[in-house]
Amino acid sequence: MGSFFGIVGIGAGIYCIYGYLLMVRRRQIPKGIMLPKDEDPKKCRDVEAYIKMTSTQLLLVGLLLIVYGGMELVNTYVVSITMPIFAVIVLVMAALVWFAIRTKKANNTYF
């Protein structure tokens, strides 16, 4: 079961980093990560401010998910590292809450 969560964590982290790169390099808001399904990214009133407000959180969540996924795979296949995984899970949860709050505030402000 740990290998499944490890693979999902790494995949979700890569997807978040892809969304971050899309925002920073192409100045596009990724609809699947940042916006509700019914919201159009073209309706954003200030794309630059939206990206500035949310990009750091998205990058942090992506990096933490990749770290968690890697640690989960190490825990499953190499050596048991229960306490460090617990600490990373707590960090991921805190980052996800922070990300959700900032994204909700940005969506209310700029859409």
Side-chain angles (χ1 to χ4, degrees):
M1 194 66 162
S3 62
F4 173 74
F5 287 121
I7 292 169
V8 168
I10 291 172
I14 290 171
Y15 186 58
C16 287
I17 291 174
Y18 166 74
Y20 169 79
L21 292 174
L22 192 65
M23 286 172 49
V24 171
R25 292 200 177 163
R26 293 190 182 170
R27 306 320 249 180
Q28 296 176 355
I29 300 171
K31 186 175 181 180
I33 303 172
M34 305 301 293
L35 300 174
K37 290 182 181 183
D38 59 338
E39 196 67 56
D40 185 16
K42 295 177 184 172
K43 292 182 181 178
C44 183
R45 292 189 292 255
D46 189 357
V47 174
E48 294 300 319
Y50 184 88
I51 290 172
K52 186 176 181 181
M53 187 173 187
T54 59
S55 62
T56 304
Q57 292 84 8
L58 184 60
L59 178 63
L60 179 67
V61 167
L63 292 174
L64 284 173
L65 283 170
I66 289 173
V67 168
Y68 163 71
M71 288 180 72
E72 189 66 55
L73 291 175
V74 167
N75 186 50
T76 301
Y77 294 112
V78 181
V79 65
S80 179
I81 51 173
T82 308
M83 288 308 290
I85 285 188
F86 179 73
V88 171
I89 289 172
V90 170
L91 286 174
V92 168
M93 293 300 168
L96 284 171
V97 168
W98 183 44
F99 173 73
I101 290 170
R102 293 289 290 181
T103 302
K104 179 73 173 169
K105 184 176 179 181
N107 287 343
N108 288 339
T109 303
Y110 298 110
F111 285 94

